[in-house]
């Protein structure tokens, strides 16, 4: 049985260690000073005994389970785990086997004055699964709700339980030649319900990128009862109920299952990598493609540093792909390449797309290795209008200087890109969190000042709260919803200012 890492990303056996870590240190030391120390992974001492009685549903109170459910998977989480800083673990990790168990947990939590934090894959990077109040809390791990309940080949849809992980869901669609085609970078270790609760963004996509676009109807268990929306292709009857659950971050209820649209697996594929001599020319090309109606399946622009670090190509690089289950896509690719030519782009003979994909999947493991070497390395993402991108980019680089900042477009829309920034800075042992918090605050301030969102797909959680500013009437409406659905305020209090 492969083991999940409790302190960092993914599988334990994929962690960057030994010679690979030495090599990484060697490469990084060319750009950032390192102190030659590697933070060891701590051996966990026993946590204090759970302060709550054992819940009436399958649960674990041992250190291993509780430690793995204490933090998410952001830089701050990895640093705190490596420092064995587990000040606020859940008292119990509870594994509901069916919806009735969820309701029983709610009743037990109300009776015991406990908070309940829904937990999918625990891949939150915004403090979404970490209760910061004073009351005792439990983690509601939904991994036993992992079934595909129905595959509707006539209407192209799947009904699956909220706790199913990406690979298991796709594996069950594959024999039917179908795919949900929703690939967040965290795909392997995040869940269908978690995607819906955070409005996740999938990669290798333009057009349908957020899970919102794929959801047909959601079933949610709230402390005030179960709600399920009508399953129809589109609905003009008043405000859309599913919109209330999309992005609710576990504060209104537990998404126990949902119907989502699937598509036939693509059989026609065409791709190309295009390099540009100037970054602004590459941005102009991508804007034109995004507004052309061509809808590439992949349209990912790497700035020159990002391209250099991931593909060893020292210029802005566009990774472009088209796919279809129905018709050849060479003509569409040809037209997109023509647009790039118009902005000075040249088709590359190197396989940047393949190199980039490999680097993309390894990135979280490398990030953990860098953290052990003392580097401050983290990402943040946003979306803005095309008209504001250049000034935003310049302001971010200036605000975070002298940290190294790279940028890629993870998603593009006709009205603007979703830029994704990676920040590297030399850390001071013991001061890494302070430094990152300062960089994050500076970056977030710039985002807001330039009219960009605090998050395009990482959700609000707790870490984004200072920069998540819903209008007062909207916030009041959300609080009224919360009060109606969760009158005892047991579900993930604090996220979304609720
Ligand atoms: C390396 C890495 C790469 C990432 N890449 C992407 C990316 O490409 N795109 C993207 O969108 N995000 C990405 N993320 C962020 C994260 O993976 C997403 O937010 C993801 O959707 C969270 O899913 P999860 O199952 O892990 O949920 P968790 O992290 O377990 O929970 C997240 C939030 O949702 C709530 N929740 C979870 N399940 C349910 C449920 N069934 N019902 C109600 N509430 C629930 C939790 O209470 C919490 O508030 C990445 C994170 C990491 C660490």
């Amino acid at each position: 049985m492969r083991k999940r890492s409790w302190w960092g990303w993914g599988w334990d056996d994929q962690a960057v260690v030994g010679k690979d870590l030495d090599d990484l240190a060697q490469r990084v030391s060319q750009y950032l000073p390192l102190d030659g120390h590697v933070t060891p992974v701590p051996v966990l001492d026993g946590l204090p005994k759970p302060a709550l009685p054992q819940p009436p549903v399958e649960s674990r109170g041992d250190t291993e389970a509780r430690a793995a459910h204490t933090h998410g998977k952001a830089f701050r989480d990895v640093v705190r785990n490596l420092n064995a800083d587990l000040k606020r673990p859940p008292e119990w990790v509870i594994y509901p086997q069916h919806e009735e168990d969820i309701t029983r947990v709610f009743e037990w939590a109300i009776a015991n004055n406990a908070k309940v934090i829904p937990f999918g894959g625990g891949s939150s990077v915004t403090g979404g699964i970490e209760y910061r109040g004073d009351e005792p809390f439990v983690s509601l791990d939904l991994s036993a709700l992992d079934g595909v309940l129905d595959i509707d080949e006539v209407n192209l849809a799947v009904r699956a339980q909220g706790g199913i992980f990406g690979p298991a869901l796709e594996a069950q669609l594959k024999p039917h030649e179908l795919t949900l085609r929703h690939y967040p970078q965290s795909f392997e270790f995040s869940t269908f319900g978690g995607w819906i609760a955070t409005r996740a963004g999938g990669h290798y996509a333009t057009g349908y990128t957020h899970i919102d676009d794929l959801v047909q109807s959601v079933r949610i268990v709230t402390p005030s009862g179960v709600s399920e929306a009508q399953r129809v292709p589109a609905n003009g009857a008043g405000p859309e109920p599913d919109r209330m659950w999309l992005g609710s971050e576990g504060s209104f209820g537990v998404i126990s299952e949902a119907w989502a649209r699937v598509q036939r697996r693509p059989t026609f594929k065409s791709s190309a990598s295009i390099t540009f001599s100037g970054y602004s020319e590459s941005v102009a090309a991508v804007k034109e493609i995004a507004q052309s109606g061509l809808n590439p399946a992949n349209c990912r622009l790497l700035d020159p540093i990002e391209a250099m670090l991931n593909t060893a190509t020292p210029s802005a690089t566009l990774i472009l792909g088209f796919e279809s289950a129905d018709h050849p896509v060479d003509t569409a690719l040809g037209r997109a390449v023509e647009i790039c030519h118009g902005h000075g782009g040249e088709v590359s003979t190197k396989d940047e797309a393949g190199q980039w994909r490999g680097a993309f999947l390894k990135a979280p493991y490398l990030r953990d290795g860098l953290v052990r070497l003392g580097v401050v390395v983290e990402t943040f993402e946003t979306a803005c209008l095309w008209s504001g991108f250049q000034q935003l980019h310049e302001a971010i680089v200036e605000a975070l200087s002298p940290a190294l900042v790279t940028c890629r477009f993870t998603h593009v829309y006709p009205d603007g890109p979703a830029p994704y920034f990676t920040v590297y800075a030399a850390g001071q042992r013991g001061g890494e969190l302070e430094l990152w918090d300062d960089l994050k605050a500076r970056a977030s301030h710039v985002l807001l000042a330039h009219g960009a969102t605090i998050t395009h797909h990482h959700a609000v959680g707790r870490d984004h709260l200072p920069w998540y500013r819903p209008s007062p009437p909207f916030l009041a409406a959300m609080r009224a919803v919360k009060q109606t659905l969760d009158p005892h305020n047991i579900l993930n209090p604090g996220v979304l200012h609720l």
Side-chain angles (χ1 to χ4, degrees):
M1 274 279 278
R2 288 182 93 183
K3 257 188 102 178
R4 288 273 304 271
S5 168
W6 74 266
W7 62 273
W9 181 245
W11 299 115
D12 238 352
D13 59 26
Q14 293 291 298
V16 180
V17 291
K19 184 174 174 326
D20 291 343
L21 192 57
D22 294 343
D23 290 348
L24 181 64
Q26 179 87 35
R27 286 204 305 275
V28 172
S29 61
Q30 296 167 23
Y31 302 94
L32 294 171
L34 298 181
D35 60 10
H37 177 66
V38 178
T39 312
V41 176
V43 178
L44 289 177
D45 291 331
L47 294 170
K49 278 208 159 59
L52 291 167
Q54 179 142 16
V57 165
E58 192 170 322
S59 41
R60 285 176 62 179
D62 56 282
T63 296
E64 195 183 345
R66 292 166 69 201
H69 289 74
T70 300
H71 298 134
K73 296 296 180 193
F75 168 77
R76 313 189 86 259
D77 303 321
V78 177
V79 171
R80 286 182 296 168
N81 288 346
L82 286 172
N83 291 336
D85 174 4
L86 302 172
K87 290 191 195 80
R88 291 285 289 134
E91 303 301 325
W92 293 95
V93 180
I94 308 179
Y95 299 90
Q97 307 293 307
H98 36 68
E99 281 186 355
E100 293 72 31
D101 278 352
I102 298 173
T103 305
R104 283 166 76 199
V105 171
F106 291 164
E107 289 162 4
W108 171 88
I110 292 166
N112 287 279
N113 190 27
K115 305 299 178 193
V116 179
I117 314 298
F119 184 103
S123 67
S124 169
V125 283
T126 55
I129 53 154
E130 178 191 339
Y131 183 54
R132 294 183 187 160
D134 293 329
E135 302 87 349
F137 73 99
V138 292
S139 182
L140 191 69
D141 184 318
L142 299 158
S143 55
L145 299 179
D146 62 350
V148 167
L149 305 175
D150 218 331
I151 295 177
D152 178 347
E153 295 193 50
V154 175
N155 302 299
L156 292 186
V158 62
R159 179 163 70 107
Q161 289 184 297
I164 192 167
F165 283 78
L169 178 53
E170 281 296 335
Q172 292 184 62
L173 290 170
K174 197 169 180 187
H176 302 265
E177 292 297 321
L178 296 173
T179 173
L180 180 65
R181 216 194 167 293
H182 180 73
Y183 298 119
Q185 188 183 20
S186 54
F187 172 76
E188 206 178 346
F189 302 104
S190 57
T191 62
F192 186 42
W195 299 340
I196 296 170
T198 59
R199 303 185 59 207
H203 294 271
Y204 311 108
T206 57
Y208 295 154
T209 56
H210 279 103
I211 193 74
D212 315 22
D213 304 321
L214 307 175
V215 163
Q216 210 177 34
S217 85
V218 172
R219 185 173 163 91
I220 187 165
V221 182
T222 79
S224 298
V226 176
S227 175
E228 187 164 15
Q230 196 182 359
R231 184 187 160 223
V232 281
N235 195 342
E240 178 61 63
D242 288 328
R243 287 271 153 200
M244 198 142 90
W245 318 128
L246 282 156
S248 57
E249 302 196 15
S251 62
F252 291 163
V254 173
I255 295 158
S256 56
E257 57 182 70
W259 277 99
R261 298 183 183 89
V262 293
Q263 51 183 285
R264 299 207 165 83
R265 296 181 79 78
T267 43
F268 298 93
K269 292 186 181 180
S270 270
S271 61
S273 303
I274 293 120
T275 57
F276 294 83
S277 54
Y279 186 45
S280 52
E281 288 82 350
S282 66
V283 172
V286 172
K287 171 173 169 284
E288 193 175 335
I289 292 171
Q291 295 178 343
S292 67
L294 286 165
N295 283 335
N298 195 9
C299 183
R300 179 171 299 266
L301 180 63
L302 314 180
D303 80 0
I305 314 175
E306 179 106 11
M308 184 63 199
L309 291 177
N310 290 292
T311 71
T313 298
S315 37
T317 302
L318 175 62
I319 295 168
L320 201 52
F322 286 83
E323 59 181 44
S324 166
D326 177 72
H327 51 266
V329 287
D330 302 334
T331 310
L333 178 69
R335 174 62 197 134
V337 167
E338 200 173 79
I339 291 174
C340 293
H341 285 325
H343 296 272
E346 295 292 341
V347 174
S348 169
T349 48
K350 265 177 63 182
D351 178 24
E352 275 92 354
Q355 282 173 323
W356 185 83
R357 183 190 283 254
F360 181 63
L361 296 175
K362 264 199 230 137
Y365 293 106
L366 289 173
R367 188 267 321 253
D368 291 353
L370 290 172
V371 176
R372 294 186 64 199
L373 295 171
V375 177
V376 170
V377 49
E378 182 56 302
T379 62
F380 64 93
E381 40 78 56
T382 185
C384 63
L385 298 174
W386 286 113
S387 50
F389 170 69
Q390 198 182 329
Q391 292 94 318
L392 173 73
H393 184 255
E394 284 165 10
I396 289 282
V397 172
E398 192 186 324
L400 301 191
S401 171
L404 180 68
V405 180
T406 71
C407 179
R408 62 177 180 255
F409 290 169
T410 52
H411 305 79
V412 291
Y413 303 91
D415 41 352
Y420 185 104
F421 296 92
T422 305
V423 183
Y424 304 85
Q428 283 254 314
R429 297 284 175 176
E432 297 97 331
L433 293 186
E434 217 180 350
L435 176 55
W436 171 247
D437 288 347
D438 176 51
L439 291 169
K440 173 79 178 176
R442 281 194 259 159
S444 303
H445 176 76
V446 172
L447 293 181
L448 256 56
H450 285 255
T453 172
I454 187 61
T455 176
H456 167 266
H457 59 260
H458 278 171
V460 176
R462 295 179 170 81
D463 294 344
H464 281 155
L465 285 176
W467 304 282
Y468 170 64
R469 299 176 186 170
S471 71
F474 184 71
L475 183 58
M478 288 219 295
R479 286 183 172 157
V481 170
K482 169 82 172 166
Q483 170 64 27
T484 304
L485 298 177
D486 180 20
H488 297 275
N489 193 27
I490 56 168
L491 272 170
N492 212 1
V495 293
L496 303 170
H497 298 300
L498 299 175

